Amino acid sequence: MILNKRVFRELKNNPFKYFALFFIVILSVSMVCSLASSTDSIDYTTSIYQNRTNVEDGNFSLYTPLNNSQVENINEKGFDIEKQYYVDISFNNGELRIFSFRNKINKIEILKGRKSISDKEVIIEQKYADENNYKINDSINIAGKNYTICGIGCVPDYIYPIKNLTDLGTNNKKFGLIFVSDNTLKSIVKDSGDREIYQYSYKKINSDVKDSELKDYLIDLECDKELITDTYLKNLYKEAEDFKNERDDSISTLLNGSNKLSNGLDRLQSGANELANSLDSTKNAISSLNIPELAPLISSLEAQKSGSHNIANSAYQLKKGSNEISNGIKIMGDDITEITDELYDIDTINLSSFIKKDNNKRINAASDDAALNKTCGLYVGIFAFALIAFMFSVFASHNVDTNSEIVGTLYAMGYKKKELVKHFLILPILVVLLGSIIGLIFTYFLTKFIATGNVTIYSYPPLKIVIDNYLIVYGLFMPNIFTIVINYFILSIKLNQKPLSLLRKEKKVKKSFNISLNKFPYMTSYKIRQVLREWKTFILMFIGMGLSILLMVWGLSIYGAVTKYTDNIEKNVPNKYTYLLANPLEDIPKKGEEAYIKSAETKFYITDDYMNVTIMGVKDDSEYFTFSDKLKNDKNYIAISDSASKKFGYKKGDVVILHDELEDKNYCVTISDIVPYSNGLYFFMNVDAMRKLSNVPDDYYNTIISNNKLDIDENMLLSLVSTKELSDVGNKMLDIMMNMLILMIVISVILFCCVMYLLMKIIIDRSSFSISLLKIFGYNDSEVKKLYLNSTFIIILMSIFISVPISKLIVDLIFPATVSDIESYMGGYLSPCMYGFIIGLILLSYFVVYILLYRKISKISYTEILKKRD
């Protein structure tokens, strides 16, 4: 209808106002939808990538490799496995993890170049290549030999390319993956002298089989002694073998002595019998001579014969006893052998690690990290769209007031309220609809920017942008539905007046606040009345500015959390180096202190899932941990780090269940103390108590801590972690997130200025009659400015003293959920300097808007009062 031509006239007369609203709509829709779209895009890209490369269902590592028979047994149980051996070698002040090529599981995706066709060619992981400027056909020297880079790619089991699963983050400058042929891997292991890790990846042949079936089978496997390279295990087996050999030799010596004694007694008995027979023959021969003088000799021979029989009988008895002794020695030998075989039976589990896909953050971290963006974005969007709709309702209501004579005339001409409501709804709907469409278009480009942090940290193929249908519906309809419903309701009330009242610009008498301001000076009381008169607009302004301040506080809290975490590591981690060993060393190095570390899991209330923690047993006289003497020598008690206490919400006296995934055991312990330690999520025990808990030898340890670099055999070393590396990871995270943090702050400032300017402009427009009247009464622009603009400073002060603390409280409540996948504690933190920075930004934004509005007031002339006369 002809009436709608006024829509374009209104837009032409107030271009900046509607452009600012239009910009806010675009910003809100694009930000909200791109947050959700970035999550969908990351999920889609990684999911397709993992399916294409046949990502593992899990992996395990062994001390000794599987033989063909064991591989067949595993296949029969419903699992397909592939060996993926690797070795870690020192390289350019960092470390390279060198794998052999994969054929079936976790296949390499080539992003640049080609596959290797010779033993002299290697493929390098893309993040390490980018950080160290490696390109196709570059040469790389590994263990003294040169190799050519033929390809750059990524693998699905290292989407998050971290060295250890317990690492806070990755440093792609110092840690990377390289893939070589089997022959090349063997050559590198031989040349470097470093320990080769026997890792296998597995896929379930059918979905019915359970991971636990494979793990149980692997736990029951024994080490092949001939293939053991671990010096500790070698020594254990050697000591046991030496003892058994010594035992067998001793038993054999006893049995030989007993046999010799028995044989000697046999000969003695036989000789005595022969002697008795000879004496008897001699006696008979002499007796046959019948010579009386030989009677004494015959008696002597008889006596000797009797003695020989006695000797023979005694020898027989001794031989009988000797046989009993021999039997006793045999029985004793069998018993000793059985007992010592049991005592010296080294029941060493061949399984060193077992990780299911669901628990492997190298595979899942990219999607898990992005998941919260979608949830937050969609919920924040509802609040933002409602706020935008209320802002439009304020402008629409003001538009009705400004054009009340025209509205009254239209009523008098026969227009109905419904038609007029539709007319005043056209412009807000057009602005929101067009802003939503452009916002959705910008979503495509902004998604790439928002996902930049994820793409920078994680290693997967180029991101494929996905904008699902639900997001298009959400971005188009949600802001428009809020705008239509809220504005229709407000306009229906506003237009519910008689035509004559509208023609006369009569306003309903509003209930005023019954406050006596007589004691205040005129200027002060005028400012207060102005605030009370426009309280609804000021509340909307306070909410809008509060939302922008929340975004500002959120961005700076992330920055503060990472910097504080890094600082705390440098301050209260007592040792510079932690050496994690496969097994104890023959001798503890000088300037090193032994400890016992074990991984476990405990329930995390935020994710309602298990999270990895580290149990550390330390000596009661440790020179590094000042609290070591407070640790109870009782396997039922444990101390936790303040980092773990804050992460899980545990307190002193709480009972905690720790699950050992590898051995499938639960440990029920009571928290005895909370101790200062910022790195990771650590639980501390007296080392002797921890040995009892884990049922290991009394002198067992698997960790060396020190403030010095130690010379440790690479075959015994699983990993080395330094505090500098941990700090570098934190700083790297900050560098990656910096662009996003700056964007959050810039957007918050723009939103703050737009909300404040638009709503203050409405107040000034509504007060143009009063401002003109004040000028006629002799008030200059500076004095008018104080009456109208300085009153806004109250809202600014409220924002500083109310919105900033509330925003910080909200951030503190939701921050743990945003970092729930990080195996350490990070709390949103604002330093005094950051609070000063926020206040400075608020005041600077206020000053900019103040100048713009001052120019607006200066343009209101004396004739304004004549335009609005009755």
Side-chain angles (χ1 to χ4, degrees), residues 56 58-60 62 65-68 70-75 78-85 104-105 199-205 214 217-218 221 354:
E56 66 186 33
N59 68 73
F60 57 89
L62 305 173
L66 296 171
N67 56 40
N68 292 334
Q70 291 166 340
V71 172
E72 290 176 4
N73 290 337
I74 291 174
N75 290 336
F79 298 92
D80 186 18
I81 67 171
E82 182 179 16
K83 68 176 184 178
Q84 296 184 356
Y85 299 168
K104 297 186 298 182
I105 303 173
Q199 176 178 294
Y200 296 82
S201 293
Y202 68 85
K203 287 284 291 184
K204 297 175 183 177
I205 296 174
L214 175 59
Y217 173 78
L218 294 170
L221 287 181
F354 188 92

Side-chain angles (χ1 to χ4, degrees), residues 327-492:
N327 292 332
I329 290 173
K330 288 179 181 178
I331 293 171
M332 179 187 70
D334 291 340
D335 290 342
I336 290 175
T337 300
E338 183 179 352
I339 293 169
T340 53
D341 279 347
E342 186 175 343
L343 288 174
Y344 280 82
D345 181 23
I346 303 173
D347 186 18
T348 304
I349 297 176
N350 195 18
L351 183 65
S352 63
S353 70
F354 188 92
I355 305 167
K356 293 186 289 188
K357 176 187 174 183
D358 293 343
N359 299 333
N360 192 344
K361 68 179 182 180
R362 289 188 182 119
I363 297 174
N364 304 314
S367 297
D368 292 344
D369 191 29
L372 191 66
N373 288 348
K374 182 175 181 177
T375 305
C376 288
L378 295 178
Y379 281 108
V380 169
I382 294 174
F383 181 79
F385 297 153
L387 182 65
I388 290 170
F390 275 111
M391 288 180 66
F392 270 106
S393 71
V394 171
F395 287 111
S397 179
H398 173 65
N399 199 12
V400 171
D401 289 337
T402 304
N403 299 283
S404 62
E405 305 105 314
I406 297 173
V407 173
T409 302
L410 291 171
Y411 266 136
M413 293 172 62
Y415 281 92
K416 297 180 180 179
K417 185 176 78 171
K418 184 182 292 186
E419 292 175 313
L420 294 176
V421 169
K422 288 180 181 179
H423 166 70
F424 283 105
L425 275 175
I426 290 174
L427 192 53
I429 292 173
L430 282 176
V431 172
V432 172
L433 181 61
L434 189 59
S436 299
I437 293 171
I438 296 176
L440 283 171
I441 294 172
F442 281 179
T443 294
Y444 180 84
F445 303 100
L446 195 57
T447 295
K448 292 183 178 179
F449 185 82
I450 289 179
T452 298
N454 194 286
V455 171
T456 305
I457 295 173
Y458 302 107
S459 178
Y460 47 80
L463 186 71
K464 182 174 177 58
I465 303 300
V466 175
I467 302 178
D468 285 337
N469 292 334
Y470 83 89
L471 208 52
I472 296 174
V473 172
Y474 180 91
L476 281 179
F477 289 95
M478 191 64 72
N480 282 281
I481 289 172
F482 274 107
T483 300
I484 292 170
V485 171
I486 291 174
N487 280 266
Y488 187 90
F489 177 74
I490 298 295
L491 286 170
S492 295

